[in-house]
Amino acid sequence: MTFYYQGAAILAPFTITSNEPTYETDTVSLVKQRASQGAQRWEMTFSTMGSADTEAQMLVSAITNLTTSATLIMPQIPSVVAGNTSSVSLVINANAAAGVSAVTIVNDGTLKQGSFIKFSNSDKVYMVTADAVAGTVAVSIYPRLRTAVTTSDMMRTGDSALFTYYRDINSLKGLTYSDGLLSNSGTITLIEAV
């Protein structure tokens, strides 16, 4: 399965990271305590394969629109995609409040642990933390639901789970040419726009 950034194929190795600041301290009696504010975002790092068809678009995207967000299809784990049989748009069966870690849906197939999903009322991407089989099921998600969902919203899976991002301005580059033929945009880091 190939995923694309600005029309160019994303190359392996490809990194998807969950950035959830967690703080740790030791008490006087040496008990470890950990705390988190509950904020989380996904970050991706990858390189692309340039071609004559994509190199101009890659150069333009590296130097323009630094203050606007964009979207791409959220890359999925290949072994997870192979096991998923659910539709790409699933009905939410019961309202769910912000802060919960499961959403009840009507599932028409199997939605595998590790699937990236999103809800139609939000740009936030979530990950399924346990397999969900056909029927009316509570789908466990990570992180906790950031925005409440209702029965008028939908759960998006597969190619319908779009990742809304900003480019990391600390890793901006242009294009590098090798032998005057191959172009490389270097390492690209995308940060979820939450």
Side-chain angles (χ1 to χ4, degrees):
M1 175 167 265
T2 304
F3 293 96
Y4 295 89
Y5 172 74
Q6 301 294 331
I10 295 174
L11 301 175
F14 176 85
T15 304
I16 299 175
T17 305
S18 173
N19 185 346
E20 181 179 3
T22 303
Y23 306 95
E24 179 179 85
T25 186
D26 288 335
T27 66
V28 175
S29 59
L30 297 179
V31 174
K32 279 217 180 291
Q33 295 179 336
R34 293 183 179 168
S36 171
Q37 296 293 328
Q40 185 272 351
R41 72 178 182 210
W42 299 103
E43 299 175 2
M44 293 186 222
T45 304
F46 55 86
S47 295
T48 60
M49 179 185 303
S51 70
D53 296 334
T54 62
E55 60 191 8
Q57 184 176 355
M58 292 297 293
L59 179 58
V60 169
S61 73
I63 60 176
T64 62
N65 301 320
L66 298 178
T67 59
T68 58
S69 64
T71 61
L72 61 82
I73 295 172
M74 181 67 180
Q76 303 280 340
I77 301 167
S79 60
V80 170
V81 171
N84 282 344
T85 60
S86 293
S87 297
V88 296
S89 194
L90 299 170
V91 174
I92 295 173
N93 193 39
N95 295 348
V100 300
S101 59
V103 176
T104 303
I105 64 164
V106 178
N107 192 2
D108 60 357
T110 299
L111 187 60
K112 299 294 284 178
Q113 172 185 13
S115 297
F116 289 102
I117 61 164
K118 71 178 292 188
F119 298 98
S120 59
N121 69 331
S122 169
D123 285 336
K124 179 75 186 116
V125 171
Y126 298 88
M127 183 177 58
V128 174
T129 60
D131 289 353
V133 295
T136 301
V137 293
V139 177
S140 299
I141 60 170
Y142 169 84
R144 293 183 179 275
L145 196 59
R146 186 180 178 123
T147 304
V149 295
T150 67
T151 55
S152 62
D153 298 314
M154 301 292 285
M155 178 187 283
R156 308 282 189 215
T157 69
D159 287 354
S160 290
L162 296 180
F163 179 71
T164 303
Y165 65 88
Y166 289 107
R167 287 190 331 268
D168 180 12
I169 60 174
N170 293 317
S171 64
L172 289 179
K173 300 198 187 251
L175 285 179
T176 302
Y177 285 91
S178 301
D179 298 329
L181 300 172
L182 301 174
S183 61
N184 182 337
S185 57
T187 301
I188 298 165
T189 300
L190 305 180
I191 299 169
E192 186 175 21
V194 290

